[in-house]
Amino acid sequence: MSSIFGKLNPSVKGLPVYQPGRPIEEVARELGLDPSEVIKVASNENPLGPSPLAIEAMQVAVKQSHLYPDGNAFYLKNKLAEKLGIESSNLILGNGSNEIIEFVSHILLRPGDNIVVSQYCFAIYPLVAMMMGAEVSSVPSVAYGHDLSAMLKAITPSTRIVWVANPNNPTGTLASSDDVRVLVDKVPSDVLLVMDEAYYEFLDEPIDLLPLVKSGEMPNLLLMRTFSKIYGLAGLRIGYGIGHPNFISAMEKIRQPFNINSVAQAGAIAALDDAAHLNATRKSNAEGLRFFESVCVELGVEFVPSSANFILIKVADGQRVFESLQDHGVIARPMGGYGLPEWIRLSIGTAAENLRSVSALKSALI
Ligand SMILES: *Cc1c(COP(=O)(O)O)cnc(C)c1O
């Protein structure tokens, strides 16, 4: 008898399943622990939580949740545009920047096309490309970072998108401004360059590519940012793309009309006003990173110097150490799925969480 499973889109059938950081409640249930005893350092969330201003604004917005959201997110886009010195027409919002990755892939990729990524790139770029039946050209990394000149050379007439996360996740590496400038200059005008700036706000002196968007001189450049990381709003699912108005309009065509819910819009608007929360997060993160680096040096374990809010640590058997940490109520991220089976990734937590992570790590490594 023929079945529906024989009819699955072939590019979906072979798709690997994305393994996110495990939720606290799930792990607590499994270990018979109280959720308050478990910490999650698996998904690079903000350990200080959302901005209090965002929480307040969301509590107000909840009372209007019988109404559909503003599908065009007028106030949020205006506020972002003002903050960035661009026009609203340069912005598209996504249900997390993950959704922007889908928009981009949707409008550019057909079977036979390809994307260029780096080894150890963010897992969603290749996943969505495969979903579209496109090929993935993965360029060997150098010292766990992107080799931008090799990525340029990997571009062929079939290439539609080059994906660069800077800083990169899961490695935390940062490409130099000089290398990014060369990439931006040399990328062919019919290839989209996406600079994924999910961790941009953690940088002291980030490269500013907004002028290229403002001037309109580079319609094949898209920047991506998110409220999930430094803004501490990962649960709201809201991210944004910054690009040429014509490219933004093309993506708008395939967006669901209400992809950003009203509570998320309210929270994000308020979060943009909370510079103090951002600064506190940046400071706490920098201290936490230094702490982890000094512990790694002390323990004699290899790590990748990070420009983001997490650190990649070489532990020989990542899966075993992940499980051992989990038994101690610390949810980390094993890296086998990224081709880094000897490593684990730990998000930087509060000072107390960092002590717990380190103590669990020490007992796992003995
Ligand atoms: C976390 C992350 C994102 C953001 O994901 P959201 O969907 O906005 O939560 C995008 N790119 C990279 C590289 C990330 O690490």
Side-chain angles (χ1 to χ4, degrees), residues 43-44 95-99 101 122 125 165 167-169 196-199 224-229 234 237-240 310 345:
S43 303
N44 311 336
N95 196 261
S97 42
N98 271 305
E99 196 186 28
I101 298 171
F122 188 50
Y125 315 145
N168 185 46
N169 174 19
D196 182 346
E197 301 181 327
Y199 303 93
M224 287 200 317
R225 297 193 189 167
T226 180
F227 285 93
S228 296
K229 304 292 157 58
R237 311 307 303 126
I238 179 161
Y240 52 104
F310 54 84
R345 194 190 67 198

Side-chain angles (χ1 to χ4, degrees), residues 4-325:
I4 190 66
F5 300 109
K7 306 293 179 195
L8 294 182
N9 178 337
S11 55
V12 173
K13 226 189 289 185
L15 219 51
V17 177
Y18 179 74
Q19 301 289 352
R22 298 191 67 194
I24 288 178
E25 286 73 14
E26 184 182 285
V27 171
R29 235 171 15 242
E30 198 174 285
L31 299 177
L33 294 174
D34 190 274
S36 66
E37 296 169 72
V38 177
I39 65 166
K40 183 181 177 205
V41 287
S43 303
N44 311 336
E45 292 135 338
N46 186 334
L48 306 185
S51 144
L53 298 184
I55 294 176
E56 208 176 306
M58 291 190 281
Q59 280 164 342
V60 175
V62 162
K63 298 188 181 126
Q64 295 297 315
S65 41
H66 60 298
L67 298 176
Y68 279 98
D70 172 1
N72 195 31
F74 178 82
Y75 293 107
L76 176 55
K77 278 193 192 169
N78 271 5
K79 183 136 199 164
L80 271 173
E82 190 187 327
K83 199 176 173 77
L84 301 171
I86 54 176
E87 302 296 323
S88 289
S89 56
N90 290 121
L91 286 167
I92 184 160
L93 300 174
N95 196 261
S97 42
N98 271 305
E99 196 186 28
I100 313 264
I101 298 171
E102 219 173 305
F103 294 159
V104 166
S105 305
H106 219 121
I107 66 167
L108 285 175
L109 298 179
R110 274 174 291 193
D113 294 341
N114 84 41
I115 65 164
V116 171
V117 295
S118 173
Q119 184 183 16
Y120 314 132
C121 70
F122 188 50
I124 308 295
Y125 315 145
L127 201 64
V128 179
M130 287 184 255
M131 214 189 278
M132 304 297 161
E135 310 287 327
V136 178
S137 179
S138 180
V139 176
S141 72
V142 171
Y144 301 98
H146 287 52
D147 184 344
L148 296 184
S149 58
M151 289 176 76
L152 262 176
K153 291 194 191 104
I155 294 172
T156 71
S158 305
T159 303
R160 299 288 169 268
I161 311 168
V162 177
W163 294 98
V164 176
N166 200 40
N168 185 46
N169 174 19
T171 58
T173 51
L174 183 73
S176 77
S177 298
D178 288 348
D179 289 351
V180 172
R181 289 281 168 214
V182 172
L183 176 70
V184 162
D185 280 350
K186 298 217 169 136
V187 70
S189 57
D190 60 353
V191 172
L192 183 77
L193 172 63
V194 185
M195 297 298 300
D196 182 346
E197 301 181 327
Y199 303 93
Y200 185 86
E201 300 88 351
F202 286 102
L203 300 173
D204 290 329
E205 290 176 342
I207 180 166
D208 182 7
L209 299 173
L210 281 172
L212 290 169
V213 173
K214 268 180 240 180
S215 67
E217 69 196 275
M218 203 177 160
N220 61 323
L221 175 67
L222 185 76
L223 312 179
M224 287 200 317
R225 297 193 189 167
T226 180
F227 285 93
S228 296
K229 304 292 157 58
I230 205 165
Y231 286 101
L233 298 173
L236 295 187
R237 311 307 303 126
I238 179 161
Y240 52 104
I242 312 167
H244 190 279
N246 295 353
F247 193 77
I248 298 289
S249 311
M251 287 194 284
E252 281 287 338
K253 286 188 191 168
I254 48 117
R255 178 177 71 76
Q256 290 290 319
F258 304 111
N259 66 327
I260 311 297
N261 71 69
S262 45
V263 177
Q265 291 185 31
I269 290 170
L272 288 172
D273 280 332
D274 201 342
H277 187 254
L278 238 63
N279 289 332
T281 303
R282 217 177 273 125
K283 181 161 175 282
S284 143
N285 186 65
E287 287 165 4
L289 261 180
R290 275 198 299 275
F291 172 67
F292 274 101
E293 292 185 354
S294 69
V295 167
C296 288
V297 170
E298 176 198 322
L299 296 176
V301 295
E302 196 184 329
F303 64 96
V304 179
S306 171
S307 297
N309 65 345
F310 54 84
I311 187 163
L312 195 62
I313 302 176
K314 195 169 188 181
V315 292
D317 182 346
Q319 186 61 29
R320 185 191 68 78
V321 169
F322 160 73
E323 283 163 21
S324 167
L325 288 174

